[in-house]
């Protein structure tokens, strides 16, 4: 009888736990759907010049017209305004990638680009082996995922490229193309190329380097090498104008009074230490996760939408719903686009990002 009583008391408790689990997943889905619809409505209604997509759209139009997409160095302001400062600073292949959208009206192109961003996140998680719909809900309820399409950025496509690199890591041509694409789009993802080298994918590393250089030079040659000579200076000016207003380790150091050169040296040293720690117990997944984490750590400019890349390590180590998928919801503590160089805003975002990376590294096999 005692055993029956115990079993009888456990049954309702088990049912309650199941109901709570189901309700929690449904609430997460409702929140994600509502937020995504709200962000889509606001972004599409905002029109021209409201997001970074306007910059990409204009770069595609310039290429169509045979013009340079790059600004003159002398035209850059002394202080960056978060509402108006949006020069095109990407390598020229990105401008060419936006030519098809630039052929459309801005309103149609803007709406289509938002939809493509959403599709890129879904496809990326799918490629990483995620099948649990609650994981997708958790992703789209987080501000770092929503910020990618809402700000009109290419961060969701970077996540897709990273996912392709992992999915096709044993196919030299495919992984080389994926790594080359994301590094050309955003140079701060160069640690992914080192992942190829560390894991002895030498053929893929060579193909990736060649493909990236050739694609970039061909695109630049098509626009008459316009902007090539000033490009390093343009990136330097961009770091000086916006890096301190981002959520990067560089921005945190600068906010605490460190000079620019010292801040970058410290970040590089930290990256070396992190890389050494990972290589003490190397595995394919650990090195890959470390490459993504180090890329986010050492970049002097890190906007919140860059953190959508964290969902690649999360998906690799936890392809089914777990508490780890809910951690990015904490980024709602500060979902603003710019940190304005305030250490108390930058530090929590960096700490949470680092905690996610370390957790994924400990779980990677």
């Amino acid at each position: 009888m005692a055993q029956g009583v115990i079993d009888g008391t456990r049954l309702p408790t088990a049912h309650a736990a199941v109901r709570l689990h189901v309700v929690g997943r449904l609430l997460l889905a409702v929140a994600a759907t509502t937020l995504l619809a709200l962000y889509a409505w606001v972004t599409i209604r905002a029109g021209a010049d409201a997001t970074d997509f306007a910059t990409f759209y204009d770069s595609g139009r310039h290429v169509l017209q045979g013009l340079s997409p790059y600004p003159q160095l002398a035209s850059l302001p002394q202080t960056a305004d978060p509402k108006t400062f949006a020069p095109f600073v990407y390598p020229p292949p990105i401008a060419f990638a936006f030519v098809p959208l630039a052929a459309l009206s801005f309103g149609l192109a803007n709406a289509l680009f938002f939809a493509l961003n959403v599709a890129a996140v879904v496809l990326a998680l799918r490629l990483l082996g995620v099948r649990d719909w609650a994981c997708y809900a958790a992703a789209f309820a987080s501000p770092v995922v929503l910020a990618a399409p809402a700000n009109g950025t290419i961060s969701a496509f970077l996540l897709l490229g990273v996912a392709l690199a992992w999915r096709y890591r044993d196919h030299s041509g495919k992984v080389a193309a994926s790594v080359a694409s994301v590094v050309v789009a955003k140079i701060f993802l160069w640690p992914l190329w080192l992942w190829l080298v560390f894991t002895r994918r030498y053929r893929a590393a060579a193909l990736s380097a060649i493909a990236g250089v050739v694609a970039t030079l061909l695109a630049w040659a098509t626009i008459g090498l316009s902007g090539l000579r000033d490009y390093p200076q343009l990136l330097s000016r961009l770091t000086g104008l916006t890096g301190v207003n981002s959520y990067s380790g560089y921005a945190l150091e600068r906010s605490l009074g460190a000079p620019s050169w010292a801040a970058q040296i410290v970040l590089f040293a930290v990256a070396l230490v992190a890389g050494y720690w990972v290589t003490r117990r190397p595995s394919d997944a650990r090195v890959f996760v470390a490459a993504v984490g180090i890329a986010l750590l050492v970049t002097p400019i890190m906007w919140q939408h860059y953190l959508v890349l964290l969902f690649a390590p999360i998906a690799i180590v936890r392809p089914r719903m777990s508490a780890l998928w809910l951690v990015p919801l904490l980024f709602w503590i500060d979902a603003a686009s710019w940190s304005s160089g305030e250490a108390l805003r930058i530090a929590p975002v960096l700490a949470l990002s680092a905690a996610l990376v370390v957790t994924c590294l400990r779980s990677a096999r």
Side-chain angles (χ1 to χ4, degrees), residues 34-224:
T34 303
L35 286 168
L36 186 59
L38 178 62
Y39 272 66
W41 183 74
V42 171
T43 303
I44 294 171
R45 285 192 72 231
D49 302 324
T51 69
D52 288 355
F53 176 68
T55 300
F56 293 121
Y57 183 80
D58 288 341
S59 72
R61 289 176 65 99
H62 287 148
V63 168
L64 274 175
Q65 297 166 5
L67 303 174
S68 170
Y70 296 105
Q72 296 293 323
L73 285 177
S75 69
L76 296 179
Q78 295 300 312
T79 304
D81 185 328
K83 294 183 179 179
T84 60
F85 185 73
F88 182 79
V89 294
Y90 295 79
I94 303 304
F96 280 89
F98 279 86
V99 166
L101 289 175
L104 306 175
S105 67
F106 182 85
L108 177 59
N110 190 31
L112 181 57
F113 189 63
F114 189 101
L116 288 173
N117 262 273
V118 174
V121 174
V122 172
L123 181 56
L125 295 182
R126 185 79 180 176
L127 286 168
L128 291 168
V130 178
R131 299 294 181 267
D132 190 338
W133 62 265
C135 297
Y136 292 82
F140 281 104
S142 69
V144 297
V145 170
L146 292 170
N151 289 322
T153 72
I154 61 170
S155 293
F157 300 98
L158 297 179
L159 174 64
L160 177 58
V162 169
L164 284 166
W166 177 253
R167 176 65 179 268
Y168 297 110
R169 60 192 180 278
D170 295 325
H171 300 268
S172 295
K174 292 179 180 179
V175 70
S178 300
V179 171
S181 297
V182 296
V183 174
V184 167
K186 280 291 188 181
I187 190 65
F188 78 86
L189 286 169
W190 58 265
L192 285 174
W193 186 81
L194 290 182
W195 160 67
L196 294 176
V197 175
F198 268 105
T199 54
R200 299 183 179 182
R201 294 179 170 91
Y202 300 127
R203 183 169 183 269
L207 288 173
S208 179
I210 293 170
V213 171
V214 170
T216 301
L217 291 179
L218 283 177
W220 235 311
T222 304
I223 58 174

Side-chain angles (χ1 to χ4, degrees), residues 223-259:
I223 58 174
L225 302 181
S226 177
L228 177 59
R229 178 180 298 179
D230 294 334
Y231 194 66
Q233 287 181 274
L234 179 62
L235 293 182
S236 179
R237 286 292 305 279
L238 181 71
T239 298
L241 288 168
T242 64
V244 294
N245 292 304
S246 71
Y247 289 86
S248 64
Y250 172 85
L252 179 61
E253 292 181 73
R254 292 301 307 278
S255 71
L256 297 175

